[in-house]
Amino acid sequence: MDTRSYFCRAFVAVFLCFVIQGSPSRAQVSSPEALRAAAENAYGRGAFDQAIEGWSRAARQFELAGRFPEQIDALVHVAETYQNIGLFTEALDTLETARSLNREASNPAQVRILGTQGSVYLAMGSNQRASDTLTRAFDLATELGDNRLAAFIGNNRGKLFAARGEYDVAIATYRDSARLARDNAMPMLAARALSNAATLLCQTGEYDECADFQREGLEVTALLDDSHDKAQLLVTLGLNYTPLVEQFPDRYSELMLRANEAFNQASASAEAVGDLRVRSFAVGNLGGLYETENRQREALELTRRAVSDAQQVDAPEALYRWQWQAGRLLRAMGSRDEAIEAYRSAIITLQTIRQEAPEAYATTATSFRESAGRAYFEMIDLLFELASSARESEDGSSYLNEARETVELFKLAELRDYFRDDCVDTYLARKTGLGEISSDAAIIYPIVLPDRLELLVGIGSKLSRFTVPVREEALTNLVRIFRLLLEGRTPNAYLAPAEQLYEWLIRPLEPLLESSGVETLVFVPDGPLRTIPMAALHDGSEFVIAKYAVAITPSLSLSDPRPMERGNISVLTVGLTEAVQNFAALPSVAAEAEAISELYPGAVLLDESFVFENVESELAETEFSIVHVASHAAFAANPEDSFLLTYDDRLTLDDLGNLIGRFRLRENPIELLTLSACESASGDDRAALGLAGVAVKAGAKSALATLWQISDEATSELIGRFYSELRDASFTKAKALQKAQLALLSDPRYEHPFFWSPFILINNWL
């Protein structure tokens, strides 16, 4: 929900109070203490919109009275509440206002501001900024000798260490935070630190220790007064019993009973303060317990109660979970039509969730695909089931079309989750309708399900389905082996997995591809399949690239269908030939830049000229068709850790988006962004997702990039040939790349797919 919605609701609530209770006295209106107390009460019962309104009004009143410390305190509370509902940008803006009001650089208010900023950065996935900020906050709290603030910062630092994989340090930090909190009469913070430690220990397989922290956390929580925070803690502690139940089957009844008690206590605490949001989580997760015991009817009743609570308080982050859970339950009960409607509702709700979403309740998932993404794939699985069982009088193709649309929705949501900004929506907003794609291209959706691989193939307006009986685990393992063998450059070792993957991904389609005259394969890869080059699959006689041009797109909805204008191409070439910032020199970049300059007009910025300001100036002054970057670049699971190396700095994906993305709305956006020396980590699906989405982030119609770095000389050779072939207007970008790859394949120096296959064309292939 956006800020405007929250303030509109808050205004309505205040207006109703006036109508029902009559106008308050002037003292009530002007008293910041009364407003602050009302805000604290509202927060305690989970009425965050009213809490934001109350603290904001109190801050204004404190400002008018010149009481700046109280104003800062109120603003920090506003920011914390914004964070609680996932409005991270608003939280940071509010904290910046508070920081500007703070007259001292070293006081408790500064620690509060920094500590909350660090917590927000952490929730956003900005681990480095969180680390810098929390370290400053902790050092300052230590310098001031303020144990209460040290306990507060310590809990957030524990989250940071956990996010960085420093689990032992995280547990020790949580333990210290809980001790300091207890010693300083902060039972809520102590309970929160103990709960966080228990969650982490369960996630890392330290089940005995997890159970100890669980027990201690519950003991402290039981002593707290009913509130939003207490109810939320009980939900988290209840969820921690799930891995314990799996680990200790001999204690199944005992642990299930404890989980049941935790959720019931959470529900009672939430109900006592009128907090429907957390009651929805409590009741819904209680329904989940019944689901695990196959008590579907009781589970469904609880789930529907949770849906009702979430709808009443407009909490989509809760609502989609229970709509999804209802879908699972109804399917298990044999009510497939009702189940598909429940799944559809869950998917619709997921699409409405703002990307800066509230932190999940004790989630152990490491990616969007593993968490909310499972709802999409369960719905797709059910649609395939309905398509298979459709009677002859019914049209099963409608289910296949809906399955493809659901895949597209998932792809969009996955990219939104990765980039956590509006680049996906901005890209969609400027696109024209796709219509039918050229008839010589096959759009292939490999859909990886737990028990099989489904292939949806679109050629023109026709959609076909192929089912391959390979389990997800077996497919993933072979993909990982294939990638490692390709990068290892061992002669012919890659052939066995290349041929097996061909059998699974291409062989079933061969009759359709041949009869349809297909010349280009466009993959919308899923999960581990993003990490390998489809061009290197092998049919036993030749590589895929020998028969087809190959491209990928993170989503067909994000592929601008307009062919590239060839009449007036200009290129901005930037790059490094020298060794800088501990990265190796790329001496062939000079020849690469010279070859491009001989083919196309434009500008060249190499070495010390390749700095942010110069690139920005060139892009502002000239409408380039192509931006070619010949420099080290890396894509990581966290976009904050992805970068492109300049002479004196590292450009983040945000920087890249700011440089190039500003032109995404112009009449002729950047046609092609080339990253000729980039790489993504082997076996890292999210890193490959970032690479696949780079064109969208940058606002370019297409991107040419590499899955791993190859030799400087081979890169220069392939890039030169690609740009030369691109001058032929009869070739699509995909076919120009195919010609360049085949040229390297025919060269004995570069015939191993290590050299030519990592180059992938992303998005528009025309």
Side-chain angles (χ1 to χ4, degrees), residues 4 161 311 390 453 564:
R4 183 178 301 172
F161 293 132
Q311 287 173 330
L453 172 69
M564 183 175 181

Side-chain angles (χ1 to χ4, degrees), residues 4-25:
R4 183 178 301 172
S5 298
Y6 272 93
F7 279 112
C8 285
R9 288 175 53 197
F11 175 81
V12 170
V14 172
F15 175 77
L16 288 176
C17 286
F18 272 69
V19 172
I20 295 170
Q21 300 176 0
S23 299
S25 68

Side-chain angles (χ1 to χ4, degrees), residues 9 164 204 206 332 380 401 419 573 595 668 674 676:
R9 288 175 53 197
R164 296 199 309 213
T204 55
E206 302 292 334
I380 291 165
N401 282 317
F419 289 120
T573 303
N668 297 306
T674 299
S676 67

Side-chain angles (χ1 to χ4, degrees), residues 454-475:
E454 293 278 0
L455 301 169
L456 280 181
V457 184
I459 301 176
S461 60
K462 182 181 178 183
L463 188 62
S464 303
R465 173 195 176 194
F466 302 85
T467 302
V468 181
V470 54
R471 297 188 65 84
E472 180 179 12
E473 184 179 4
L475 175 64

Side-chain angles (χ1 to χ4, degrees), residues 474-530:
L475 175 64
T476 299
N477 287 340
L478 192 64
V479 164
R480 303 285 191 241
I481 292 169
F482 182 48
R483 168 74 184 250
L484 290 172
L485 291 174
L486 286 177
E487 289 191 78
R489 298 171 59 180
T490 305
N492 299 326
Y494 61 85
L495 273 175
E499 291 177 12
Q500 182 59 70
L501 288 168
Y502 186 97
E503 292 298 316
W504 289 337
L505 291 161
I506 308 295
R507 187 77 73 189
L509 319 180
E510 281 184 334
L512 175 63
L513 299 177
E514 292 170 4
S515 65
S516 302
V518 166
E519 297 179 2
T520 302
L521 306 182
V522 181
F523 289 89
V524 188
D526 179 43
L529 293 174
R530 286 190 289 252

Side-chain angles (χ1 to χ4, degrees), residues 677-698:
C678 66
E679 61 182 325
S680 61
S682 179
D684 192 330
D685 302 351
R686 272 183 63 81
L689 174 64
L691 180 63
V694 69
V696 175
K697 179 66 175 177

